[in-house]
Amino acid sequence: MEVFKFGGASVKDAEGVRNIGRILEKVGKEKTLVVISAMGKMTNAFEIVVSNYLENDTKALQSSLADIKEYHKTIVSELFEENKHVVLTKVAKIFEALDTTLKVNKSSKYDFVYDQIVGYGEIVSTTIVSEYLISIGIHNNWLAAGEAIKTNQTYRDAVVDWNKTAKKITALVNEEALTITQGFIASDANNFMTTLGREGSDYTAAIFAYCLNAESVSIWKDVPGVLNADPRVFDKTTLLHSISYEEAIELAFYGASVIHPKTLQPLQRKEIPLYVKSFKNLEEKGTIVTKGQALNPKIPCFIVKKNQVMISLSSLDFSFIVEHRISEIFNLFHEHQIKVDLIQNSAISFSVCVDNKFNTLECLLDKLATNFKVKCQKKVTLFTIRHFTDQAIFEIEKDKEILLKQVVGETYQMIAK
């Protein structure tokens, strides 16, 4: 089989959905599993619903729900001429299920509530795409990813149970047909919805590919492939024609947004090639990520992570920060689900750049303050250059207030205000 993944940008409107039909007609619509994200910026819209719901703001909640329903209604009306098409009933039932979830939920825990609500974006998008494809003669099987991918209960960043997942996928997927399923979402042992982390649809594609021993995975994006820098941040970017798994994992680890960090590990284990292609231009070859491929061209790759937090710790009694103290610090990071992006330490000081993804920073700082002198700078930016040159460093440091920098091997990192 082949596995395709289409992100939100590819299905942001009716024309995007039609384009998926054109792509499948051209590249093949049998022995294919297609993973689809929520439409456009709908994940952000559902996150607003979560906030309004937990804040008990009924008026804002109803308004945010109405916006989401209207957005999808517009796309449906442009795709389907019939006023009584079955898709209308199916979409209505999905939103009824969402309303029921909001009414019966008893939890006030953000991460749990998030996962029970936000995943509806993928459910409704795949329903619309599946029905549209059927309407133009492309038969497909709609699969609930939550039935196929089983995880633990780490909501918003769930860990896959590979044994259960492999058995489920093998049983549920018809490898000879076209299957449409959701990215990002899964379920735990109690069948509560879980999610695989923001931008986790790429990871979903890799999970299916691994369990199905797929021939390849293709991620269809609104860029020509993997670029050496984010075009939204840098004026000049270059397409990387080929990358090894190892290099791609390094780039993903440091925050390159084009490939989800977890995506590459299952693909690398079975040496399944990953293609990153443009859904705007099918003739372009894009980027291939596979075993042993040299970085081509080998040029500096720039990664920028904004809105980070720099934490600097020092001993209260001038004692060394050595193994047992570092272990204590990282246990707290793990307990508070804090991702560390940079580390620098000396005998009596320890600095890190972290991502406050789960909004647990204040609690962490309180815990750290019991044993350390703590300094914290919020809203800093972390710059990373893989395969740096002197010129690349000069350009990135220009006109910035540098708080910390370090070089390890071929990787340069710098924190700036």
Side-chain angles (χ1 to χ4, degrees):
M1 293 189 75
E2 288 187 292
V3 175
F4 292 166
K5 179 261 176 173
F6 292 93
S10 64
V11 287
K12 66 181 181 180
D13 52 27
E15 181 54 29
V17 176
R18 294 189 190 101
N19 192 46
I20 289 181
R22 290 192 288 269
I23 291 172
L24 292 174
E25 288 283 11
K26 185 160 187 176
V27 302
K29 52 185 185 289
E30 296 177 349
K31 297 184 179 181
T32 303
L33 183 137
V34 180
V35 174
I36 298 174
S37 301
M39 293 177 153
K41 300 294 185 181
M42 280 296 100
T43 297
N44 294 342
F46 276 96
E47 287 174 345
I48 293 171
V49 169
V50 174
S51 297
N52 292 336
Y53 173 76
L54 290 174
E55 291 168 6
N56 292 312
D57 190 335
T58 304
K59 185 176 179 181
L61 174 62
Q62 293 307 315
S63 176
S64 56
L65 284 169
D67 290 343
I68 289 171
K69 292 174 182 178
E70 184 61 30
Y71 176 89
H72 290 97
K73 181 181 177 182
T74 299
I75 293 176
V76 168
S77 66
E78 292 180 20
L79 290 173
F80 302 91
E81 294 180 1
E82 305 169 43
N83 291 329
K84 295 183 179 180
H85 194 282
V86 66
V87 72
L88 296 171
T89 302
K90 289 188 174 184
V91 170
K93 286 184 177 179
I94 292 168
F95 285 122
E96 286 173 11
L98 171 59
D99 291 338
T100 300
T101 297
L102 294 170
K103 289 175 183 175
V104 304
N105 171 64
K106 298 292 190 295
S107 176
S108 59
K109 294 181 178 179
Y110 181 87
D111 291 348
F112 175 81
V113 174
Y114 181 101
D115 279 9
Q116 306 322 300
I117 293 174
V118 174
Y120 277 98
E122 275 71 17
I123 294 171
V124 70
S125 72
T126 52
T127 299
I128 293 170
V129 172
S130 174
E131 290 299 327
Y132 170 73
L133 294 176
I134 290 171
S135 75
I136 61 171
I138 301 178
H139 178 74
N140 64 85
N141 301 320
W142 186 91
L143 173 65
E147 293 181 17
I149 301 177
K150 305 302 291 186
T151 71
N152 69 356
Q153 295 180 327
T154 307
Y155 299 105
R156 289 184 67 206
D157 197 18
V159 177
V160 175
D161 184 323
W162 286 95
N163 289 331
K164 289 182 179 178
T165 297
K167 290 176 183 177
K168 289 280 188 180
I169 288 176
T170 301
L172 292 170
V173 176
N174 178 355
E175 296 188 33
E176 298 300 315
L178 172 65
T179 298
I180 305 296
T181 194
Q182 306 81 42
F184 184 50
I185 61 177
S187 69
D188 63 19
N190 296 316
N191 292 321
F192 284 112
M193 205 181 309
T194 58
T195 61
L196 302 173
R198 200 68 155 79
E199 308 296 335
S201 294
D202 291 359
Y203 186 34
T204 301
I207 293 167
F208 275 103
Y210 179 89
C211 294
L212 293 167
N213 294 308
E215 182 180 322
S216 66
V217 173
S218 295
I219 298 175
W220 299 87
K221 302 183 75 71
D222 57 355
V223 290
V226 179
L227 304 174
N228 75 320
D230 188 338
R232 295 169 296 184
V233 179
F234 294 86
D235 293 331
K236 295 180 180 180
T237 59
T238 301
L239 175 68
L240 304 175
H241 302 295
S242 63
I243 314 176
S244 67
Y245 290 121
E246 292 78 10
E247 182 63 36
I249 288 170
E250 290 281 357
L251 292 172
F253 173 80
Y254 288 114
S257 60
V258 74
I259 303 173
H260 190 273
K262 295 178 183 176
T263 300
L264 295 151
Q265 293 165 342
L267 299 182
Q268 186 269 339
R269 288 203 296 269
K270 288 193 176 180
E271 297 185 8
I272 299 170
L274 170 68
Y275 296 91
V276 182
K277 300 180 179 181
S278 170
F279 61 75
K280 296 179 179 179
N281 190 342
L282 304 189
E283 305 306 318
E284 293 181 353
K285 292 183 178 180
T287 303
I288 181 173
V289 182
T290 190
K291 181 180 179 181
Q293 286 281 352
L295 181 66
N296 177 26
K298 189 170 183 179
I299 56 175
C301 297
F302 300 86
I303 302 157
V304 179
K305 295 188 75 173
K306 298 181 180 180
N307 199 28
Q308 303 295 289
V309 181
M310 181 176 167
I311 302 172
S312 298
L313 309 176
S314 56
S315 303
L316 294 173
D317 58 0
F318 291 95
S319 61
F320 291 159
I321 298 182
V322 290
E323 288 84 354
H324 74 282
R325 305 307 300 274
I326 292 173
S327 175
E328 174 189 339
I329 294 165
F330 273 92
N331 281 335
L332 286 172
F333 288 151
H334 175 71
E335 179 185 324
H336 292 82
Q337 295 178 275
I338 295 285
K339 182 182 182 298
V340 178
D341 294 313
L342 179 149
I343 305 166
Q344 190 172 94
N345 69 293
S346 66
I348 58 172
S349 67
F350 185 88
S351 296
V352 289
C353 186
V354 303
D355 191 335
N356 186 29
K357 175 181 175 182
F358 293 94
N359 297 313
T360 57
L361 178 66
E362 299 306 324
C363 182
L364 170 68
L365 295 176
D366 288 342
K367 291 278 186 72
L368 289 170
T370 61
N371 292 313
F372 302 94
K373 185 184 297 182
V374 181
K375 291 183 180 179
C376 176
Q377 295 195 63
K378 300 178 182 178
K379 296 185 178 180
V380 300
T381 300
L382 174 63
F383 296 86
T384 302
I385 311 175
R386 285 281 293 164
H387 311 294
F388 63 87
T389 62
D390 290 343
Q391 181 61 31
I393 292 174
F394 173 78
E395 291 295 333
I396 212 77
E397 290 185 354
K398 192 167 51 180
D399 303 324
K400 294 182 179 67
E401 181 181 345
I402 300 172
L403 304 176
L404 180 153
K405 62 180 176 178
Q406 68 178 19
V407 174
V408 178
E410 292 190 79
T411 303
Y412 162 94
Q413 290 188 287
M414 179 260 288
I415 303 171
K417 276 190 172 183

